[in-house]
Amino acid sequence: MSQEQPRRPQSDQEPIKYGDVFPVAGSLADKPVAPQDAALMQSAETAVLGETQKGGPAATMQSAATRNERAGLVGHTDITNAAGDEGVTVTEIDVPGRRIITESVAGQVLGQYVEPTPVSQMNPTVTARQAAITIGEALEATAQTAGNKPVDQSDAAAIQAAEVRATGSTIISPTGVAAAAQSAASMNTGLTRDEDKIKLTDVLSNATARLPADKAVTRQDAEGVMSAEMRNNPNLATHPGGVASSVAAAARLNESVV
C-alpha cells in the first residue's frame, strides 16, 4: 500500500491543501490539511483497522498538517468544516480472500486499497462490516493514537464521561477505567518528568475489559465526552487523537454504517 506524499506548494506562504496530496475535487481540494483533520482520520483508522496504516491517508494527512503547523499556516487545534461537519470515514468490506478499505473526507475518497484475508469456507458471500464501534473500543483506539500522552485531569474527565455513557450509571466502579484514569491523573500531578508519568496507553489498552458495561458510540456520547475534556483543559481544547477525538471518530463511523 502506498500513498502520494505531500508535494511542496508552489509558494512558501501557501499551506499544503487536500488537492496537493489527494485526488479530490471541488472545495475540499482548496482546503488546507489541518491538525485536527489528521487526528480524526488517525482515530478512524485505528478504530476500524486496529492501527494507523503506514503510508495511508492518516499518515499523509499528519505529515501535511505538521508541515502546515510548523510554517505557522494553521493552528494546532484547527479543523476544517469538511472534516468537522461533513465527516471522516473509514469503511471496510470483506469479500472472499480479501478486504477492501476506503477512507474518505466529506464524502470524497482519499485512498482505497485491498488487503488479503483468509478465505472463509463458511460464508463465501460478500459481507460488509456492520458492527458498530463501542465506547470501550474507542477508548482502546486512543491508546494507539495518543498512547504516549501523560494522563491529566482533562483525560480523566473525558474517560469518566465515557464510562458513565457506557454504563448508564453515574456510579464509578473502583476497578473501572475511569477510576484508573483519575488515579493516574492525581499521581502525575506530583511528578515533573514526563517519562515518569502514567500514560494513556497504561490506562486504556484494555479499556473494554475494564468497563462494567459497554455500548455503541453515538453522537450524543461524543458530545458529552468532548464537553468533559474541554471543560477540564486550561485551554478549553481537546487533544489531537485523544479521548474526545477517538470517541467522535467512532460516532461518525457508526453513523455511516448502513
Side-chain angles (χ1 to χ4, degrees):
M1 179 185 67
S2 64
Q3 196 74 33
E4 184 178 359
Q5 293 303 306
R7 298 192 301 268
R8 187 177 183 85
Q10 293 181 349
S11 169
D12 288 340
Q13 299 304 311
E14 288 291 320
I16 299 173
K17 301 173 183 176
Y18 277 92
D20 295 323
V21 291
F22 296 113
V24 296
S27 61
L28 179 62
D30 294 327
K31 294 185 183 300
V33 183
Q36 288 291 332
D37 293 22
L40 283 175
M41 183 59 81
Q42 188 177 27
S43 294
E45 280 192 5
T46 302
V48 173
L49 307 175
E51 61 182 0
T52 299
Q53 301 299 290
K54 183 178 181 180
T60 300
M61 289 172 68
Q62 185 61 60
S63 177
T66 298
R67 288 177 60 182
N68 286 343
E69 184 178 353
R70 287 176 178 171
L73 301 171
V74 298
H76 188 61
T77 60
D78 283 0
I79 185 171
T80 64
N81 61 346
D85 298 334
E86 299 178 64
V88 170
T89 60
V90 177
T91 59
E92 174 185 330
I93 297 177
D94 293 322
V95 298
R98 65 190 189 279
R99 62 175 181 171
I100 303 170
I101 299 160
T102 305
E103 304 190 34
S104 308
V105 170
Q108 295 201 49
V109 175
L110 304 189
Q112 187 174 62
Y113 45 95
V114 178
E115 293 184 348
T117 59
V119 177
S120 171
Q121 300 298 322
M122 299 297 294
N123 184 14
T125 60
V126 176
T127 58
R129 178 186 178 97
Q130 296 292 332
I133 299 168
T134 68
I135 289 175
E137 290 170 336
L139 292 177
E140 289 179 355
T142 309
Q144 297 289 329
T145 58
N148 290 328
K149 180 184 183 297
V151 181
D152 61 22
Q153 190 55 49
S154 67
D155 301 317
I159 293 167
Q160 179 173 324
E163 181 174 306
V164 167
R165 291 275 181 171
T167 63
S169 172
T170 57
I171 300 175
I172 303 302
S173 169
T175 59
V177 67
Q182 185 57 62
S183 175
S186 298
M187 182 174 295
N188 284 348
T189 57
L191 301 173
T192 56
R193 300 193 309 168
D194 281 354
E195 54 264 37
D196 295 331
K197 295 180 180 180
I198 300 172
K199 310 298 194 300
L200 281 173
T201 188
D202 300 321
V203 174
L204 298 178
S205 58
N206 61 344
T208 299
R210 299 182 70 171
L211 282 173
D214 206 355
K215 65 182 284 291
V217 182
T218 66
R219 181 177 291 271
Q220 291 72 31
D221 298 329
E223 291 172 350
V225 172
M226 181 173 293
S227 176
E229 185 169 321
M230 291 180 67
R231 284 199 313 268
N232 289 273
N233 185 306
N235 298 319
L236 295 178
T238 59
H239 183 76
V243 178
S245 178
S246 293
V247 174
R252 288 191 177 92
L253 289 167
N254 285 349
E255 288 182 348
S256 73
V257 174
V258 180

